[in-house]
Amino acid sequence: MPTITAEKLQASYDVVIVGSGAGGGQTAYTLTMEGLKVLILEAGRSFDVPSEVAMLQLPSQAPLRGEKTPDKQYGFHDCSINSGWEIPGEPYTNASKEPADQFRWWRQRMMGGRTNHWGRIALRNGPYDFKPRTRFGLGFDWPIGYEDIAPYYDKVEMLIGVFGTNEGLENSPNSSPGVLQPAPKLRVGELYAQKHGKKVGAHVASIHRAVLTKPQDADTLPVKLHPGNAKAQSILADSMRTRSPCFWATDCHRGCAIRANYDSQTVHLRPALATGNLDILPNAMAREVTLDKQGKATGITFINKTNGSEGHAKGRAVVLAASSQESVRLLLNSKSNAFPQGLANSSGKVGKYVTDSVSSSLSAYIPAFEGMPIHNEDGAGGPHAYVPWTRHAQNGKGELGFPGGYHLEFTSGRQMPSLTVLNGIESKLGHEGVLFGAKLKQEARRYYGSSLGFGAQGTMLPNDGSFCELDPELKDQWGIPVLRFHWKWTEFELNQVRHQQQHIRELLEAMGGKVAAKAEADVSKLIKRGGEVIHEVGGAIMGADRETSVTNQWSQTWDVKNLFMADGAPFASTADKNPTLTIMALAWRMADHLMDEMKKGNI
Amino acid sequence: MSTPDDLPRMDRRKALQWMLSATATMTVRDPSLFAADPGPIKAQGYGPDPVMVKIYKPGEVWPLTLAVPQRRTTRALCDVIMPADETSPSASTLGVPDFIDEWISSPYPAQAGDRRLVLEGLQWIDQESKTRFGKAFADLTLEQQTAICSDLAAAKPQPAHKKAATFFKRFRDLTAGGYYTTPDGMKAIGYVGNMPSGTFEGPPIEALKHVGLA
């Protein structure tokens, strides 16, 4: 992908964007298609998806059979480089020494950001998810409702390509007719759960994921997405025609050389570059948003990581899409006389109300699957089905002890064997001692593919104990002050995890599954730690009142009119749904507003 | 994939370095201890930005560290755990001993515990072989090897075997995992994916019938 060096920066851009992931990519796409001159600053290196991703390599072809290491924290073949919860030279701190009260911060330092190793699960937030205060008397209502963002969900889904079905479920909205790609057939385990889950009130439905199951309709979609803009239509049609549909092999986390699944480079940055309106500067670590005397943002000061020098990129407007907490850090590090507590922080709310998905998992051995006729169920490189949250009536009445809800994602099947493929085989098959020899090989064939599990992901409402601030002392390798996190689960999350565990257990048992793990009374041991789901959002929340929020409904900061947020930072609360699709829909909506404001001369 | 045990795994320059450092340590060490512990790992990992598409072999990123007698024991134990049968080859044929060596030679912290466990376990199993049958583990008959392994694999191993039993279970997991992550191993266990295809037809009718869905 063509990028520029710091020497080639233009004197000024219409918009400077920090970050090239889902939010930055979508913003750049929307703006450049409409003719704005845009610069993206990316902290990571340039990354060539078609030639660098390992799609078909086997674990035996990687060091340590591809298992996780501190260098590759999601495994060797995961499409993450220079990324992780711990990155040399880029520390962060936690106020508490207690692991349960700590936040783990994943950074993805590469072109395209986290979209490279995303599971591609693309669920819409529903109407309730935007109004937790109205519904539960808790958290914050967003200043927008589902109806405000629905048209943007349609647009993003048409652009990136999302498969799924419309199930007409409460709070898991349908897409408009003709928007979704066909859902792939369900696998045996998913169908089996669909049949037997009914006994315990679990509705198994096709999941929505950003993977093409057929070629995109390049003749009609570009016209729908860019009415009246012939150039944009033509560029998008060309881009869509270079994408192949899924070839039904390999895990999407490895990245996709044939462009079947969505990542920011494949879908957003390539057409944006084709407009001739986009420059991308890699290896540029943003340090500060600069201001003029009137308090307007003028651009970004950055460190050129290739030589350690400092540079400045100038723009009429600035969009932060560096990932929610990195954008927060930028605001906090942009101090001035006008903003001694950090930029756009007159409310004191920058860094506040950080949330992640509430998650726990459980798996079982399903004897009914033993000796299954051998077949290939790789499919679309990730789940085809999920269990959406349907118990709205119960928790609407406060019967469950937690607001919101959670959905369940399938976690196994006849997947490519990993190093741990037989760990625990004895307990699951009911053997005593350790199997080896001919008996082991025989039992392995019977056992393989018979495990099934679910990971739950649920709503976390913002609380006062989960936030970040600048560490008073520590700086990173470029001398930039780092973040210090505070983390607290409340009873709501712990109650939710209790419910998750009980529900998954009864679902697995309804399938005849043998759950090896005993019920754990202390659910704080089962909940994934803050940041481990890598769904953290918030920290610059949107609201209707500038006293209690950082941005307005357009992700435009209250204090600085030409400064916008385009990652998860403006989320006023999390839904149980994975945030990426909503980040893109909000970014597109924000970009439309930004252009309106520019046309009106307000920026 | 397989290579004889007695061939050195390193180039000449590295071999010289190792010999020098070995000589240096030998003077202050009991030689029998040295056999169990080839020394601390000083190698580097592959770093946060390795080439992902490349095909790697054990020993390529960091040197393998098992001495020849330890390799013989490893190879023999791997093959007792995963022997050849009519449908699939033995663990050593698929290069699993090399993987075990790579694993316990890893510079990363997560493998340090396994390194201690495996090195001590290999020493224990050879000692046990000599005590019981007068020969190193690799030189025993399959029956004799199986007798020792069965003791370690027992539901309730004798108190004296407790640590060795922990070693055996871990070694079994590494051997089985190392085996089933190879192309032949995948075939043996019944994984037939990783094959690009124009369509996805869903489960075949026999699979649906198997679980009462058709």
Side-chain angles (χ1 to χ4, degrees), chain A residues 1-296:
Chain A
M1 175 156 296
T3 57
I4 62 164
T5 56
E7 298 74 48
K8 296 280 164 67
L9 277 181
Q10 294 172 37
S12 183
Y13 294 87
D14 291 323
V15 179
V16 175
I17 301 172
V18 182
S20 65
Q26 181 63 62
T27 305
Y29 173 90
T30 303
L31 297 176
T32 56
M33 285 297 213
E34 294 301 322
L36 272 71
K37 300 289 182 191
V38 173
L39 170 71
I40 286 180
L41 298 172
E42 166 53 52
R45 75 162 169 88
S46 194
F47 180 81
D48 187 51
V49 174
S51 68
E52 293 197 64
V53 300
M55 291 185 85
L56 297 166
Q57 279 78 352
L58 304 179
S60 59
Q61 296 166 339
L64 303 175
R65 292 308 202 246
E67 289 293 295
K68 297 170 185 178
T69 68
D71 283 329
K72 292 280 288 180
Q73 296 169 28
Y74 255 82
F76 191 83
H77 288 140
D78 174 59
C79 189
S80 301
I81 54 161
N82 298 314
S83 302
W85 284 288
E86 280 84 33
I87 299 179
E90 298 199 48
Y92 57 93
T93 61
N94 271 285
S96 171
K97 289 193 168 64
E98 283 294 315
D101 297 334
Q102 293 182 346
F103 178 79
R104 300 189 71 206
W105 188 20
W106 181 277
R107 277 74 44 83
Q108 189 93 6
R109 297 283 190 243
M110 62 191 291
M111 189 67 68
R114 300 179 187 192
T115 65
N116 288 293
H117 86 141
W118 178 36
R120 274 74 179 180
I121 294 176
L123 302 169
R124 295 182 175 204
N125 280 11
Y128 303 162
D129 299 321
F130 293 99
K131 304 294 173 188
R133 187 146 203 101
T134 302
R135 187 165 168 77
F136 300 107
L138 296 163
F140 308 115
D141 283 352
W142 297 48
I144 54 172
Y146 176 71
E147 61 286 356
D148 295 306
I149 198 172
Y152 289 96
Y153 278 135
D154 276 347
K155 282 161 63 152
V156 170
E157 287 169 357
M158 283 189 274
L159 174 65
I160 70 175
V162 173
F163 75 65
T165 54
N166 285 323
E167 301 272 326
L169 292 167
E170 187 177 3
N171 203 41
S172 291
N174 287 352
S175 301
S176 293
V179 167
L180 293 176
Q181 291 239 326
K185 293 203 170 87
L186 302 193
R187 302 178 177 97
V188 177
E190 293 166 336
L191 290 166
Y192 196 72
Q194 189 168 54
K195 178 181 174 187
H196 295 279
K198 284 178 190 146
K199 294 179 237 169
V200 294
H203 176 87
V204 174
S206 280
I207 199 167
H208 292 208
R209 292 181 63 235
V211 182
L212 302 185
T213 52
K214 64 169 194 184
Q216 281 181 300
D217 185 350
D219 296 325
T220 64
L221 291 178
V223 184
K224 286 182 190 166
L225 291 172
H226 300 286
N229 184 342
K231 183 184 172 190
Q233 290 169 15
S234 156
I235 288 171
L236 178 56
D238 286 348
S239 174
M240 286 180 164
R241 289 192 182 102
T242 64
R243 296 185 66 189
S244 300
C246 185
F247 64 25
W248 311 107
T250 100
D251 185 338
C252 285
H253 287 96
R254 290 172 171 232
C256 194
I258 63 167
R259 310 180 75 198
N261 69 26
Y262 162 85
D263 68 69
S264 171
Q265 288 200 65
T266 290
V267 175
H268 287 136
L269 301 183
R270 286 173 70 126
L273 281 166
T275 65
N277 296 324
L278 176 65
D279 281 347
I280 306 176
L281 179 63
N283 300 306
M285 179 74 192
R287 200 195 69 196
E288 189 178 347
V289 183
T290 52
L291 289 186
D292 64 14
K293 285 184 184 135
Q294 286 73 46
K296 273 176 69 176

Side-chain angles (χ1 to χ4, degrees), chain B residues 17-31:
Chain B
Q17 281 172 358
W18 277 81
M19 275 169 62
L20 283 173
S21 66
T23 326
T25 21
M26 222 136 34
T27 51
V28 292
R29 277 190 180 189
D30 176 347

Side-chain angles (χ1 to χ4, degrees), chain A residues 2 49 90 101 120 159 166 199 203 211 230 268 271 300-301 364 447-448 492 503 523 525 537 548 580:
Chain A
V49 174
E90 298 199 48
D101 297 334
R120 274 74 179 180
L159 174 65
N166 285 323
K199 294 179 237 169
H203 176 87
V211 182
H268 287 136
I300 296 285
T301 301
Y447 166 82
Y448 168 68
F492 294 134
H503 182 45
V523 288
K525 288 182 186 158
V537 295
T548 54
T580 310

Side-chain angles (χ1 to χ4, degrees), chain A residues 45 56-57 60-61 64-65 69 71-72 82 185-186 247-248 370 378 414 419 426 433-435 437 441 445 448, chain B residues 46-49 52-53 56 81 83 88-89 102 108 153 172 177-179 181 188 190-191 194 197 201 203 210 212:
Chain A
R45 75 162 169 88
L56 297 166
Q57 279 78 352
S60 59
Q61 296 166 339
L64 303 175
R65 292 308 202 246
T69 68
D71 283 329
K72 292 280 288 180
N82 298 314
K185 293 203 170 87
L186 302 193
F247 64 25
W248 311 107
E370 277 178 15
D378 275 3
R414 301 182 71 82
L419 181 64
E426 289 86 2
V434 181
L435 290 168
K441 289 178 95 173
R445 281 189 280 270
Y448 168 68
Chain B
Y46 46 67
D49 189 7
M52 291 185 283
V53 292
Y56 295 82
I81 291 170
S88 52
E102 177 199 47
Y108 295 109
R172 194 288 310 267
Y179 185 92
T181 45
Y191 173 72
N194 211 36
S197 158
E201 301 296 345
H210 186 77

Side-chain angles (χ1 to χ4, degrees), chain A residues 136 391-403 495 499:
Chain A
F136 300 107
R391 302 179 186 210
H392 300 286
Q394 266 182 297
N395 78 343
K397 284 184 250 163
E399 289 172 6
L400 299 179
F402 59 91
N495 287 343
H499 196 275

Side-chain angles (χ1 to χ4, degrees), chain B residues 26-112:
Chain B
M26 222 136 34
T27 51
V28 292
R29 277 190 180 189
D30 176 347
S32 68
L33 276 180
F34 175 67
D37 180 7
I41 299 295
K42 288 178 190 152
Q44 299 287 309
Y46 46 67
D49 189 7
V51 179
M52 291 185 283
V53 292
K54 186 174 139 78
I55 291 173
Y56 295 82
K57 289 194 176 114
E60 199 171 327
V61 185
W62 50 83
L64 304 184
T65 60
L66 287 179
V68 171
Q70 292 168 322
R71 286 195 56 77
R72 289 190 75 226
T73 312
T74 298
R75 183 185 169 98
L77 189 53
C78 280
D79 283 354
V80 176
I81 291 170
M82 300 295 290
D85 60 18
E86 55 288 353
T87 56
S88 52
S90 69
S92 65
T93 313
L94 299 185
V96 177
D98 282 352
F99 158 66
I100 304 262
D101 199 346
E102 177 199 47
W103 184 267
I104 62 118
S105 306
S106 156
Y108 295 109
Q111 284 80 40

